[in-house]
Amino acid sequence: MESANHTGIAEFVLLSLSDDRQLQPLFFGLFLCMYLVTVLGNLLIILAVSSDTHLHSPMYFFLCNLSFVELCLTSATIPKMLVNIQAQRKDISYRGCLTQVYFLMIFAGMDNFLLTLMTYDLFVAICQTLNYTVIMNPRLCVLLVLLSWLIMFWVTLLHILLRKRLTFSTGTTVPHFFCELSQLLKATSSNTLINIILLYVVTTLLGVFPTTGILYSYSQIVCSLMRMSSSVGKSKVFSTCGSHLCVVSLFYGTGLGVHLSSARTHSSQGNMIASVMYTVVTPMLNPFIYSLRNKDVKGALGRLLSRAASCP
């Protein structure tokens, strides 16, 4: 097959979740509903936190950013997939593919950082209660979020610059329903050693350090919990940590499932189904977890909806 460099590639071909045309309307309706629920749920969390002064604290500042990031993460993949299903096409332009890779990496990385920052906030609130307002001041919170964005911007830009040196055959098929960096590396005809080394190094650094921080923070929280004699205090800690622990487990559990699925099987169908979990299902479920398990968020949502209903 004739090869060409990246300037000669007009588009890539994406795979669909199923080649059965009778299932396409079902997939379209299902993913459209899931996308709308995700957008509505995360927007409600953002509006509730922004409009309620009771939630103007570091924890909910990070939660507001997390909802924004997850809304963007889903928006980077699902709209294009819905357009392709509706138009019965599987193509994506070269620039569109690069753009999708760029934003997917940024938002997935930010998800990782924000969950780590929220865990650190819980650690300080429970284990360093007297110094909480001094340590978790608004300036530090904004600085930590900006630093996370900056790290992901430069890391992702480095990946994209290295990606531009790769060559692809005309009509290259990407074995996924969206453009993912690891899948693009499998589809190229170029030497990908440098790209793979960078991918593993970055994944290890951005995966191991946040995960270690989360595990350490929760180990200290458990130790503090065991030292508490008040059942009311323990109940409050469980209430505070419960929703966050569910979200952390869901995010890292689905992410681990994607990597294990990719390592154990070469089936594109299995990889795509696993990827649906962290790009669609997790962002959709998180607002429900926080609104149903967190009394403060539930109360803020109730007040927000009450004000909206009372408006003429």
Side-chain angles (χ1 to χ4, degrees), residues 97-159:
C97 189
L98 277 186
T99 302
Q100 200 171 64
V101 170
Y102 182 77
F103 285 114
L104 270 172
M105 292 188 67
I106 284 183
F107 296 135
M110 281 303 300
D111 234 333
N112 185 32
F113 277 127
L114 286 169
L115 289 174
T116 306
L117 293 176
M118 292 171 78
T119 309
Y120 177 68
D121 176 75
L122 286 172
F123 162 72
V124 176
I126 295 169
C127 302
Q128 305 286 335
T129 308
L130 297 178
N131 297 320
Y132 178 76
T133 55
V134 177
I135 298 173
M136 299 304 294
N137 59 78
R139 184 177 179 180
L140 177 65
C141 294
V142 173
L143 183 63
L144 289 173
V145 172
L146 288 177
L147 183 61
S148 299
W149 279 108
L150 193 62
I151 291 172
M152 287 313 306
F153 171 79
W154 286 110
V155 167
T156 307
L157 183 61
L158 182 58
H159 275 297

Side-chain angles (χ1 to χ4, degrees), residues 62-75:
F62 294 138
L63 175 60
C64 189
N65 279 273
L66 181 68
S67 293
F68 171 75
V69 165
E70 296 202 322
L71 192 158
C72 294
L73 177 65
T74 307
S75 298

